[in-house]
């Protein structure tokens, strides 16, 4: 089954890292990602630009608005994602825990829905 690991970071915690620690974490993360990709576990991953570059689109009552930044009340902002293949939710959680970003934010683990089954159900 596929799982999406949503990586959230807290700028306050990132800013508190010692000099060079972010680069060390990032290097280790990329090396780990390369190994997971080589064994077929990691299907894809991307980093996102800082949340301050985001725009949020919202339509209510037929009116569409665009807001600067993410629409969020939390200090942790979405920073990237990993799409993985895992045999169980427990394995997906274990894999998520191997990435360093749980120390500077959190990693949300969410099963990916089979859109083919949804298409069949709704007749699309």
């Amino acid at each position: 089954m596929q799982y999406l690991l949503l990586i959230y970071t807290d700028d306050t915690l990132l800013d508190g890292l010692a000099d060079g620690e972010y680069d060390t974490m990032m290097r280790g993360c990329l090396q780990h990602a390369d190994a997971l990709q080589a064994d077929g576990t990691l299907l894809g991953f991307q980093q996102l630009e800082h949340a301050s570059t985001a725009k949020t689109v919202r339509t209510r009552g037929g009116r569409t608005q665009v807001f600067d930044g993410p629409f969020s009340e939390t200090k942790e902002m979405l920073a990237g994602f990993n799409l993985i293949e895992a045999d169980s939710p427990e394995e997906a959680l274990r894999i998520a825990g191997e990435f360093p970003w749980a120390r500077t934010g959190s990693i949300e683990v969410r099963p990916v829905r089979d859109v083919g089954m949804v298409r069949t159900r709704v007749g699309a």
Side-chain angles (χ1 to χ4, degrees):
M1 178 163 200
Q2 291 182 353
Y3 293 86
L4 191 63
L5 310 182
L6 297 163
I7 312 299
Y8 293 88
T9 58
D10 181 334
D11 283 345
T12 304
L13 294 174
L14 286 174
D15 292 343
L17 294 174
D19 285 343
E21 189 174 358
Y22 175 84
D23 287 351
T24 299
M25 289 172 65
M26 192 72 231
R27 187 171 31 263
C29 180
L30 290 169
Q31 290 168 344
H32 183 59
D34 291 344
L36 288 174
Q37 232 172 1
D39 76 12
T41 300
L42 181 62
L43 306 176
F45 69 97
Q46 287 294 323
Q47 272 189 301
L48 300 175
E49 292 295 340
H50 192 272
S52 64
T53 67
K55 301 281 187 195
T56 298
V57 177
R58 174 173 282 182
T59 303
R60 299 290 187 274
R63 182 171 173 237
T64 300
Q65 295 177 290
V66 178
F67 301 93
D68 287 335
F71 193 78
S72 178
E73 299 298 321
T74 181
K75 291 192 293 186
E76 293 180 355
M77 298 295 165
L78 184 61
F81 65 88
N82 297 291
L83 180 62
I84 65 167
E85 184 75 37
D87 292 331
S88 67
E90 295 77 19
E91 181 183 16
L93 291 168
R94 180 190 58 73
I95 292 167
E98 293 172 352
F99 286 96
W101 310 117
R103 292 182 17 221
T104 56
S106 61
I107 302 174
E108 179 181 341
V109 178
R110 190 179 298 188
V112 175
R113 183 171 288 163
D114 182 342
V115 175
M117 288 177 39
V118 174
R119 282 183 184 279
T120 301
R121 189 185 85 234
V122 302

